[in-house]
Amino acid sequence: MIIVLKPEVTDEQIQAVCERIRKEGLDVHVSKGKFRTIIGVIGEEEAVRSLPLEAWPEVEKVMPVLKPYKLVSLEFKQSPTAIRVRDAVIGGGSFTVMAGPCSVESREQLFETAKAVKEAGASVLRGGAYKPRTSPYSFQGLGIEGLKLLREVSEEFNLPVVTEVMDVRQIEHVVEYADILQIGARNMQNFNLLTEVGKTGYPVLLKRGFSNTIEELLMAAEYIAREGNDQIILCERGIRTFETATRNTLDISAIPVLKRLTHLPVVVDPSHAAGRSDIVPELTLAALIAGADGALIEVHPDPKSALCDGPQSLNLNQFATLMEDLKRLVTVAGRKTS
Ligand code: PEP
Ligand code: MN
Protein backbone atom coordinates (compact mmCIF):
# COMPACT_ATOMS: atom_id res chain seq x y z
CA MET A 1 0.00 0.00 0.00
CA ILE A 2 1.20 3.49 -0.85
CA ILE A 3 0.24 6.45 1.31
CA VAL A 4 0.65 9.95 -0.11
CA LEU A 5 0.90 12.61 2.59
CA LYS A 6 -0.34 16.17 2.36
CA PRO A 7 2.23 18.78 1.18
CA GLU A 8 2.35 20.68 4.46
CA VAL A 9 3.13 17.75 6.81
CA THR A 10 5.93 18.25 9.32
CA ASP A 11 8.66 15.71 10.13
CA GLU A 12 6.93 14.97 13.44
CA GLN A 13 3.68 14.19 11.66
CA ILE A 14 5.48 11.88 9.23
CA GLN A 15 7.04 10.05 12.16
CA ALA A 16 3.64 9.79 13.88
CA VAL A 17 2.09 8.19 10.79
CA CYS A 18 5.00 5.73 10.51
CA GLU A 19 4.71 4.82 14.17
CA ARG A 20 1.00 4.14 13.87
CA ILE A 21 1.62 1.80 10.93
CA ARG A 22 4.49 0.03 12.69
CA LYS A 23 2.10 -0.63 15.58
CA GLU A 24 0.16 -2.90 13.19
CA GLY A 25 3.30 -4.99 12.75
CA LEU A 26 4.24 -3.55 9.36
CA ASP A 27 7.33 -1.86 8.05
CA VAL A 28 7.44 1.47 6.27
CA HIS A 29 9.56 2.96 3.56
CA VAL A 30 9.54 6.76 3.54
CA SER A 31 10.35 8.58 0.35
CA LYS A 32 10.63 12.34 0.65
CA GLY A 33 10.29 14.22 -2.62
CA LYS A 34 10.51 17.91 -3.32
CA PHE A 35 6.76 18.40 -2.95
CA ARG A 36 5.40 15.28 -1.37
CA THR A 37 6.27 12.55 1.08
CA ILE A 38 5.18 9.06 0.18
CA ILE A 39 5.08 6.13 2.59
CA GLY A 40 5.31 2.62 1.21
CA VAL A 41 3.80 0.06 3.58
CA ILE A 42 5.72 -3.21 3.58
CA GLY A 43 4.06 -6.40 4.79
CA GLU A 44 0.56 -7.89 4.86
CA GLU A 45 -1.62 -5.18 3.38
CA GLU A 46 -4.67 -6.67 5.12
CA ALA A 47 -3.43 -5.34 8.45
CA VAL A 48 -3.76 -1.70 7.37
CA ARG A 49 -6.76 -2.03 5.10
CA SER A 50 -9.14 -1.71 7.99
CA LEU A 51 -7.49 1.48 9.32
CA PRO A 52 -9.37 4.63 8.31
CA LEU A 53 -6.19 6.04 6.75
CA GLU A 54 -8.01 8.53 4.54
CA ALA A 55 -9.45 10.14 7.67
CA TRP A 56 -6.00 10.86 9.12
CA PRO A 57 -5.27 14.59 8.80
CA GLU A 58 -1.75 13.99 7.40
CA VAL A 59 -2.94 11.69 4.61
CA GLU A 60 -3.98 12.87 1.17
CA LYS A 61 -4.42 9.61 -0.73
CA VAL A 62 -4.14 5.87 -0.18
CA MET A 63 -3.37 3.51 -3.03
CA PRO A 64 -3.69 -0.22 -2.40
CA VAL A 65 -1.16 -2.26 -4.36
CA LEU A 66 -2.87 -5.61 -3.97
CA LYS A 67 -6.35 -6.60 -5.01
CA PRO A 68 -8.87 -6.79 -2.14
CA TYR A 69 -9.73 -10.39 -3.09
CA LYS A 70 -7.22 -13.17 -2.80
CA LEU A 71 -8.51 -16.76 -3.07
CA VAL A 72 -10.37 -16.13 -6.33
CA SER A 73 -7.54 -14.20 -7.95
CA LEU A 74 -5.34 -15.38 -10.76
CA GLU A 75 -2.28 -14.53 -8.68
CA PHE A 76 -3.42 -17.04 -6.06
CA LYS A 77 -4.04 -19.81 -8.60
CA GLN A 78 -2.76 -19.59 -12.16
CA SER A 79 -4.52 -22.57 -13.68
CA PRO A 80 -8.22 -22.23 -14.60
CA THR A 81 -10.65 -23.89 -12.23
CA ALA A 82 -12.81 -26.52 -13.91
CA ILE A 83 -15.94 -27.56 -12.07
CA ARG A 84 -17.18 -31.09 -12.53
CA VAL A 85 -20.83 -31.80 -11.88
CA ARG A 86 -21.78 -35.36 -12.72
CA ASP A 87 -20.94 -35.63 -16.44
CA ALA A 88 -20.71 -31.88 -17.04
CA VAL A 89 -17.60 -29.73 -16.78
CA ILE A 90 -17.71 -25.95 -16.48
CA GLY A 91 -14.44 -24.17 -17.15
CA GLY A 92 -11.09 -25.41 -18.36
CA GLY A 93 -11.57 -24.91 -22.11
CA SER A 94 -15.00 -26.17 -23.01
CA PHE A 95 -18.19 -24.18 -23.64
CA THR A 96 -20.98 -25.50 -21.43
CA VAL A 97 -24.61 -24.75 -22.08
CA MET A 98 -27.05 -24.71 -19.18
CA ALA A 99 -30.62 -24.41 -20.37
CA GLY A 100 -34.19 -24.70 -19.20
CA PRO A 101 -37.18 -22.66 -18.17
CA CYS A 102 -37.02 -19.55 -16.03
CA SER A 103 -39.31 -21.30 -13.57
CA VAL A 104 -40.52 -24.83 -13.12
CA GLU A 105 -44.24 -24.74 -13.90
CA SER A 106 -45.31 -28.37 -14.25
CA ARG A 107 -43.91 -31.86 -14.82
CA GLU A 108 -44.95 -31.75 -18.49
CA GLN A 109 -43.31 -28.37 -19.11
CA LEU A 110 -40.06 -29.38 -17.43
CA PHE A 111 -39.96 -32.84 -18.99
CA GLU A 112 -40.52 -31.53 -22.49
CA THR A 113 -37.91 -28.78 -22.08
CA ALA A 114 -35.29 -31.07 -20.54
CA LYS A 115 -35.72 -33.67 -23.26
CA ALA A 116 -35.30 -31.06 -25.99
CA VAL A 117 -32.32 -29.25 -24.47
CA LYS A 118 -30.56 -32.53 -23.78
CA GLU A 119 -31.08 -33.68 -27.36
CA ALA A 120 -29.82 -30.35 -28.65
CA GLY A 121 -26.61 -30.71 -26.60
CA ALA A 122 -27.10 -28.81 -23.33
CA SER A 123 -25.26 -30.34 -20.38
CA VAL A 124 -26.98 -28.73 -17.38
CA LEU A 125 -30.69 -28.17 -16.73
CA ARG A 126 -31.73 -24.82 -15.29
CA GLY A 127 -35.06 -24.06 -13.66
CA GLY A 128 -36.26 -21.91 -10.79
CA ALA A 129 -38.28 -23.30 -7.91
CA TYR A 130 -37.91 -20.14 -5.83
CA LYS A 131 -38.35 -17.05 -7.98
CA PRO A 132 -37.27 -13.53 -7.08
CA ARG A 133 -40.10 -11.48 -8.61
CA THR A 134 -40.37 -7.72 -8.61
CA SER A 135 -44.06 -7.96 -7.79
CA PRO A 136 -45.30 -9.98 -4.81
CA TYR A 137 -48.39 -10.76 -6.91
CA SER A 138 -46.41 -12.52 -9.65
CA PHE A 139 -45.85 -16.29 -9.70
CA GLN A 140 -43.30 -17.03 -6.98
CA GLY A 141 -42.30 -20.54 -8.06
CA LEU A 142 -43.41 -24.00 -6.96
CA GLY A 143 -40.93 -24.23 -4.06
CA ILE A 144 -40.15 -27.73 -2.83
CA GLU A 145 -42.54 -29.26 -5.35
CA GLY A 146 -40.49 -27.56 -8.08
CA LEU A 147 -37.26 -28.89 -6.59
CA LYS A 148 -38.66 -32.43 -6.60
CA LEU A 149 -39.65 -32.10 -10.25
CA LEU A 150 -36.18 -30.82 -11.11
CA ARG A 151 -34.59 -33.85 -9.45
CA GLU A 152 -36.93 -36.31 -11.10
CA VAL A 153 -36.36 -34.87 -14.58
CA SER A 154 -32.66 -34.51 -13.95
CA GLU A 155 -32.39 -38.24 -13.22
CA GLU A 156 -34.48 -39.11 -16.25
CA PHE A 157 -32.17 -37.23 -18.64
CA ASN A 158 -28.92 -37.40 -16.69
CA LEU A 159 -28.68 -33.61 -16.56
CA PRO A 160 -27.29 -31.93 -13.46
CA VAL A 161 -29.54 -29.18 -12.12
CA VAL A 162 -28.83 -25.55 -11.33
CA THR A 163 -31.49 -23.73 -9.35
CA GLU A 164 -31.70 -20.54 -7.32
CA VAL A 165 -31.54 -20.33 -3.57
CA MET A 166 -32.90 -16.99 -2.39
CA ASP A 167 -32.62 -17.33 1.35
CA VAL A 168 -30.49 -19.09 3.96
CA ARG A 169 -33.60 -21.01 5.10
CA GLN A 170 -33.99 -22.58 1.64
CA ILE A 171 -30.47 -24.02 1.52
CA GLU A 172 -31.33 -27.26 3.33
CA HIS A 173 -34.07 -27.99 0.79
CA VAL A 174 -32.16 -26.95 -2.30
CA VAL A 175 -29.08 -29.07 -1.49
CA GLU A 176 -31.32 -32.11 -1.25
CA TYR A 177 -32.35 -31.82 -4.90
CA ALA A 178 -29.91 -29.61 -6.83
CA ASP A 179 -26.35 -30.03 -8.09
CA ILE A 180 -25.44 -26.35 -8.43
CA LEU A 181 -26.78 -23.55 -6.23
CA GLN A 182 -27.60 -20.32 -8.05
CA ILE A 183 -27.23 -17.00 -6.28
CA GLY A 184 -29.36 -14.49 -8.16
CA ALA A 185 -28.41 -10.97 -9.18
CA ARG A 186 -30.50 -9.48 -6.38
CA ASN A 187 -28.63 -11.50 -3.78
CA MET A 188 -25.07 -11.05 -5.01
CA GLN A 189 -24.23 -9.02 -1.94
CA ASN A 190 -26.31 -10.98 0.56
CA PHE A 191 -23.18 -11.81 2.50
CA ASN A 192 -24.83 -14.19 4.98
CA LEU A 193 -26.26 -16.19 2.10
CA LEU A 194 -22.86 -16.27 0.34
CA THR A 195 -21.18 -17.54 3.49
CA GLU A 196 -23.79 -20.23 4.02
CA VAL A 197 -23.71 -21.53 0.45
CA GLY A 198 -19.93 -21.51 0.75
CA LYS A 199 -20.20 -23.86 3.73
CA THR A 200 -22.28 -26.39 1.80
CA GLY A 201 -19.33 -27.18 -0.50
CA TYR A 202 -21.79 -27.37 -3.43
CA PRO A 203 -20.84 -25.67 -6.71
CA VAL A 204 -22.28 -22.16 -6.80
CA LEU A 205 -23.37 -20.16 -9.83
CA LEU A 206 -22.94 -16.56 -8.72
CA LYS A 207 -24.72 -13.95 -10.78
CA ARG A 208 -23.44 -10.42 -11.03
CA GLY A 209 -25.80 -7.88 -9.51
CA PHE A 210 -27.21 -5.48 -12.08
CA SER A 211 -25.59 -2.49 -10.35
CA ASN A 212 -22.40 -4.15 -9.23
CA THR A 213 -18.86 -3.71 -10.44
CA ILE A 214 -16.60 -6.54 -11.50
CA GLU A 215 -14.57 -6.04 -8.34
CA GLU A 216 -17.70 -6.35 -6.20
CA LEU A 217 -18.56 -9.59 -8.01
CA LEU A 218 -15.12 -10.96 -7.19
CA MET A 219 -15.44 -9.85 -3.57
CA ALA A 220 -18.78 -11.69 -3.38
CA ALA A 221 -17.07 -14.80 -4.77
CA GLU A 222 -14.35 -14.35 -2.15
CA TYR A 223 -17.00 -14.73 0.58
CA ILE A 224 -17.84 -18.18 -0.81
CA ALA A 225 -14.19 -19.13 -1.34
CA ARG A 226 -13.32 -18.08 2.20
CA GLU A 227 -15.50 -20.95 3.43
CA GLY A 228 -13.22 -23.40 1.64
CA ASN A 229 -15.41 -23.65 -1.46
CA ASP A 230 -13.78 -22.64 -4.74
CA GLN A 231 -16.42 -24.34 -6.89
CA ILE A 232 -17.75 -21.01 -8.09
CA ILE A 233 -19.04 -20.13 -11.54
CA LEU A 234 -19.30 -16.39 -12.20
CA CYS A 235 -22.20 -15.25 -14.35
CA GLU A 236 -22.48 -11.99 -16.26
CA ARG A 237 -26.22 -11.44 -16.77
CA GLY A 238 -26.42 -7.83 -17.89
CA ILE A 239 -26.16 -4.62 -15.95
CA ARG A 240 -28.39 -1.56 -15.75
CA THR A 241 -27.48 1.24 -18.10
CA PHE A 242 -29.40 4.14 -19.68
CA GLU A 243 -30.27 1.90 -22.64
CA THR A 244 -33.90 0.82 -22.87
CA ALA A 245 -33.80 -1.30 -26.05
CA THR A 246 -32.81 -4.28 -23.94
CA ARG A 247 -33.81 -5.26 -20.39
CA ASN A 248 -30.18 -4.89 -19.30
CA THR A 249 -26.90 -4.35 -21.14
CA LEU A 250 -24.78 -7.47 -21.53
CA ASP A 251 -21.34 -6.40 -20.38
CA ILE A 252 -19.28 -8.40 -22.87
CA SER A 253 -16.13 -6.69 -21.60
CA ALA A 254 -16.66 -8.31 -18.24
CA ILE A 255 -15.73 -11.69 -19.74
CA PRO A 256 -12.14 -10.93 -20.85
CA VAL A 257 -11.67 -8.60 -17.87
CA LEU A 258 -12.67 -11.35 -15.44
CA LYS A 259 -10.47 -13.83 -17.27
CA ARG A 260 -7.48 -11.60 -16.54
CA LEU A 261 -8.36 -11.37 -12.85
CA THR A 262 -9.66 -14.75 -11.75
CA HIS A 263 -9.17 -18.49 -12.23
CA LEU A 264 -12.92 -19.11 -11.85
CA PRO A 265 -15.05 -20.03 -14.86
CA VAL A 266 -17.16 -17.24 -16.35
CA VAL A 267 -20.49 -17.82 -18.06
CA VAL A 268 -23.07 -15.44 -19.49
CA ASP A 269 -26.83 -15.28 -19.20
CA PRO A 270 -27.91 -13.66 -22.46
CA SER A 271 -31.61 -14.15 -21.64
CA HIS A 272 -31.75 -11.84 -18.62
CA ALA A 273 -29.33 -9.44 -20.29
CA ALA A 274 -31.49 -9.05 -23.39
CA GLY A 275 -35.00 -9.48 -22.01
CA ARG A 276 -35.98 -10.44 -25.56
CA SER A 277 -35.43 -13.78 -27.20
CA ASP A 278 -34.61 -12.54 -30.72
CA ILE A 279 -31.08 -11.38 -29.85
CA VAL A 280 -30.22 -14.20 -27.42
CA PRO A 281 -28.47 -16.27 -30.15
CA GLU A 282 -26.16 -13.42 -31.21
CA LEU A 283 -25.28 -12.58 -27.62
CA THR A 284 -24.45 -16.21 -26.87
CA LEU A 285 -22.14 -16.47 -29.89
CA ALA A 286 -20.48 -13.18 -28.96
CA ALA A 287 -19.88 -14.46 -25.43
CA LEU A 288 -18.20 -17.60 -26.76
CA ILE A 289 -15.82 -15.53 -28.87
CA ALA A 290 -15.17 -13.18 -25.93
CA GLY A 291 -13.90 -16.19 -23.97
CA ALA A 292 -16.87 -17.26 -21.85
CA ASP A 293 -16.88 -20.80 -20.46
CA GLY A 294 -20.55 -21.26 -21.12
CA ALA A 295 -24.03 -19.82 -21.14
CA LEU A 296 -27.20 -20.03 -19.07
CA ILE A 297 -30.16 -19.81 -21.42
CA GLU A 298 -33.90 -19.69 -20.79
CA VAL A 299 -35.90 -22.13 -22.90
CA HIS A 300 -39.64 -22.80 -22.79
CA PRO A 301 -41.80 -25.09 -24.95
CA ASP A 302 -44.35 -22.30 -25.33
CA PRO A 303 -42.84 -18.92 -24.38
CA LYS A 304 -46.11 -17.08 -24.91
CA SER A 305 -47.71 -19.00 -22.05
CA ALA A 306 -44.68 -18.92 -19.69
CA LEU A 307 -45.40 -17.87 -16.10
CA CYS A 308 -42.08 -16.03 -15.91
CA ASP A 309 -39.77 -14.38 -18.47
CA GLY A 310 -41.59 -15.63 -21.58
CA PRO A 311 -40.44 -12.73 -23.80
CA GLN A 312 -36.79 -13.67 -23.33
CA SER A 313 -37.21 -17.44 -23.58
CA LEU A 314 -36.23 -19.35 -26.70
CA ASN A 315 -38.64 -21.99 -27.89
CA LEU A 316 -37.34 -25.52 -28.42
CA ASN A 317 -36.60 -25.06 -32.12
CA GLN A 318 -34.86 -21.75 -31.63
CA PHE A 319 -32.68 -23.34 -28.96
CA ALA A 320 -31.78 -26.28 -31.22
CA THR A 321 -30.78 -23.86 -33.99
CA LEU A 322 -28.61 -21.88 -31.57
CA MET A 323 -26.89 -25.09 -30.45
CA GLU A 324 -26.08 -25.94 -34.08
CA ASP A 325 -24.58 -22.48 -34.62
CA LEU A 326 -22.65 -22.78 -31.36
CA LYS A 327 -21.18 -26.14 -32.32
CA ARG A 328 -19.87 -24.69 -35.57
CA LEU A 329 -18.38 -21.67 -33.84
CA VAL A 330 -16.89 -23.71 -31.02
CA THR A 331 -14.79 -25.59 -33.57
CA VAL A 332 -13.68 -22.38 -35.27
CA ALA A 333 -12.77 -20.90 -31.88
CA GLY A 334 -10.68 -23.97 -31.05
CA ARG A 335 -12.93 -24.88 -28.13
CA LYS A 336 -15.17 -27.83 -27.45
CA THR A 337 -18.68 -28.24 -26.10
CA SER A 338 -19.12 -30.13 -22.85
C1 PEP B 1 -33.08 -16.30 -13.24
O1 PEP B 1 -32.04 -16.90 -13.57
O2 PEP B 1 -34.21 -16.70 -13.55
C2 PEP B 1 -32.97 -15.00 -12.53
C3 PEP B 1 -33.94 -14.57 -11.74
O3 PEP B 1 -31.83 -14.36 -12.80
P1 PEP B 1 -31.21 -12.98 -12.22
O4 PEP B 1 -30.94 -13.23 -10.77
O5 PEP B 1 -29.96 -12.81 -13.04
O6 PEP B 1 -32.20 -11.89 -12.47
MN1 MN C 1 -35.74 -15.65 -15.50
Side-chain angles (χ1 to χ4, degrees), residues 27 31 53 66 72 88 107 137 163 179 184 209-210 218 295:
D27 231 340
S31 150
L53 292 170
L66 298 178
V72 302
R107 175 179 278 107
Y137 306 112
T163 195
D179 300 283
F210 35 68
L218 290 167

Side-chain angles (χ1 to χ4, degrees), residues 291-306:
D293 295 289
L296 182 73
I297 301 172
E298 286 187 339
V299 181
H300 195 286
D302 183 23
K304 68 179 184 312
S305 69

Side-chain angles (χ1 to χ4, degrees), residues 101-103 126 131-132 182 207 247 269 271-272 298 308-309 312-313:
C102 176
S103 57
R126 67 145 287 152
K131 293 308 303 175
Q182 176 173 325
K207 289 190 144 194
R247 184 176 177 184
D269 173 347
S271 309
H272 288 87
E298 286 187 339
C308 184
D309 286 347
Q312 67 195 36
S313 301

